Amino acid sequence: MVNPAGKADGRPAPAPPALGLRLGGAYAAFFLAMGIQLPYLPLWFQHRGLGPEAIGVALAVPMLVRLVSMPLLGLLSDRLGRPKALLVALALATVGGMGMLALSVDFLAILVTLAFTALAWMPSLSLLDSYASRQARAGRADYGKARQWGSASFLVANLVGGVLIGMLGAGSVVLMMLAGQLAYVLATLALPELPRPERRPAPVTGRRARLGVLSGIVAAALVQASHATLYAFASVSWKAQGYSFTAIGVLWAVGVAAEMALFRFGTRLVVRFGPHALIAVGGITAVVRFAAMASEPPLAVLVLLQLLHAFTFAATFLAMVELVSRSVSEHRSGTGQTAAAWIGSILMSSANVASGPLWAAFGPLAFLVSSAIGLVGALAALLAARLQPHSSGSGG
């Protein structure tokens, strides 16, 4: 009988040469385009003549589209049984979409090309997570160590992208995203294909245990959603406190460096303590972090609070991927990871919508709502742990 890793004697198949580097390269390439898109795409919209209302609609389109495409492509990945091939196909489709976007001028054309691009691009990260977690489950790679290069690449894209856009103008934003996505195509081509896994019963059985898995995913999504006000208004808050753009950039860089460190060593933590415990720690840390931010602390304290990003974001994210990996059969990995990301997208989108009115009404005190969301996430993680009487094996 051939095991999921592809060896007839039951042992894991040997890792292809430099598999860790290939996975790290795939994450790094993916986040090059993301590191340009998140901070700078609104400038490109403005360059194309879109007003504030139109920019808001344009930014909402990918968020809406991914709610449809994520679960569908997760099911497709599992049905095809060739995750690397699907990653390559989606990367090529995204290149085509970004190429069309670069040529789009009027508002309708921009919306259509954005929707097409998002269909392929937005679910790709969850499918890459599924691929990497399967390699980790077989003992051929370390998910956290590969994922850290995505964070590093995102930071580099933020910094270098700002310099290049300052030199080339806002019209270069989509072209830079396209260059990053072309790098991602090459990176996915370098990945080995996974063998089609056997159809096996899910590791988690019983209504109570399945409810525990769902509760754990919701808990992680809540802790992630507690960051919505941070992402939207932290820079605004810090600027109002009188900090320079350089200081603000350093604060964001500290947070990214902290998450990189956690990803690098996080596998040991999740194996030692389990995903539910890490999610709970992330939620409790969010309570402390955001409650402190509501008081507009001095710069030295803000640096310490940004270091907590390692737990509020990275540990929680790593734990959610691990929880899904432990809880679904390998032949349902794509479905499981995209479903978890879908739940996270809904909660984060809702928190994003709420953050604007909250900030307008309460200013920095809106971070107290973030703190409350983190607390609910921590409590949900503890509940999820109580619903899991069994002990799952680690997915690595």
Side-chain angles (χ1 to χ4, degrees):
M1 180 180 292
V2 179
N3 75 345
K7 290 283 284 184
D9 59 4
R11 292 177 299 168
L19 176 60
L21 291 177
R22 298 190 204 184
L23 271 176
Y27 278 106
F30 182 89
F31 278 94
L32 279 176
M34 189 69 74
I36 298 296
Q37 180 251 340
L38 283 177
Y40 302 120
L41 187 58
L43 298 178
W44 185 85
F45 290 145
Q46 191 176 51
H47 175 76
R48 283 291 195 260
L50 274 62
E53 295 82 3
I55 291 176
V57 172
L59 291 173
V61 165
M63 298 177 68
L64 294 173
V65 167
R66 71 182 180 182
L67 294 179
V68 177
S69 62
M70 269 186 180
L72 293 179
L73 286 172
L75 289 168
L76 178 62
S77 177
D78 292 335
R79 179 63 63 88
L80 292 176
R82 299 183 62 199
K84 176 259 181 83
L86 183 58
L87 286 172
V88 173
L90 293 177
L92 289 170
T94 304
V95 165
M98 288 185 179
M100 292 188 295
L101 182 62
L103 299 175
S104 301
V105 177
D106 65 89
F107 183 49
L108 181 59
I110 289 173
L111 291 184
V112 171
T113 52
L114 273 175
F116 174 79
T117 305
L119 280 171
W121 190 26
M122 293 301 168
S124 293
L125 179 58
S126 297
L127 294 176
L128 181 59
D129 285 337
S130 170
Y131 175 94
S133 67
R134 285 183 60 189
Q135 294 284 21
R137 177 185 292 188
R140 295 190 291 259
D142 185 306
Y143 170 80
K145 288 182 178 179
R147 179 61 177 78
Q148 69 173 326
W149 295 111
S151 300
S153 176
F154 184 86
L155 179 59
V156 170
N158 282 180
L159 299 176
V160 177
V163 174
L164 292 177
I165 292 167
M167 296 169 54
L168 303 174
S172 65
V173 169
V174 174
L175 294 177
M176 292 170 62
M177 291 167 55
L178 178 59
Q181 190 61 30
L182 285 169
Y184 180 62
V185 170
L186 297 177
T188 55
L189 286 170
L191 295 174
E193 184 61 275
L194 283 166
R196 184 185 293 273
E198 292 183 15
R199 300 179 67 88
R200 297 185 176 185
V204 173
T205 58
R207 182 177 179 182
R208 177 187 173 95
R210 289 195 295 269
L211 182 60
V213 174
L214 178 60
S215 299
I217 292 171
V218 171
L222 283 167
V223 178
Q224 296 293 349
S226 72
H227 294 73
T229 300
L230 175 82
Y231 296 150
F233 295 106
S235 293
V236 174
S237 178
W238 296 336
K239 185 61 179 174
Q241 289 179 251
Y243 299 126
S244 66
F245 286 115
T246 300
I248 292 171
V250 169
L251 285 171
W252 285 114
V254 167
V256 175
E259 75 178 58
M260 287 174 58
L262 193 288
F263 278 132
R264 180 166 184 79
F265 301 105
T267 297
R268 301 176 189 174
L269 294 176
V270 78
V271 169
R272 174 66 178 83
F273 298 105
H276 294 104
L278 280 192
I279 295 169
V281 168
I284 293 169
T285 307
V287 173
V288 175
R289 180 186 186 187
F290 297 127
M293 288 192 67
S295 65
E296 298 183 281
L299 184 61
V301 176
L302 283 174
V303 171
L304 296 176
L305 295 177
Q306 284 298 94
L307 288 173
L308 297 181
H309 198 64
F311 294 98
T312 61
F313 169 74
T316 307
F317 184 87
L318 182 64
M320 184 178 72
V321 172
E322 175 69 9
L323 176 62
V324 175
S325 179
R326 293 184 182 193
S327 305
V328 301
S329 301
E330 192 175 8
H331 71 282
R332 296 295 187 197
S333 177
T335 303
Q337 296 295 347
T338 53
W342 183 80
I343 292 171
S345 295
I346 290 177
L347 291 179
M348 179 60 84
S349 298
S350 301
N352 279 330
V353 171
S355 67
L358 286 170
W359 191 267
F362 303 109
L365 290 177
F367 283 119
L368 293 177
V369 177
S370 300
S371 184
I373 296 173
L375 177 60
V376 175
L379 294 174
L382 295 175
L383 172 64
R386 290 182 63 86
L387 292 171
Q388 296 287 306
H390 63 287
S391 176
S392 299
S394 171

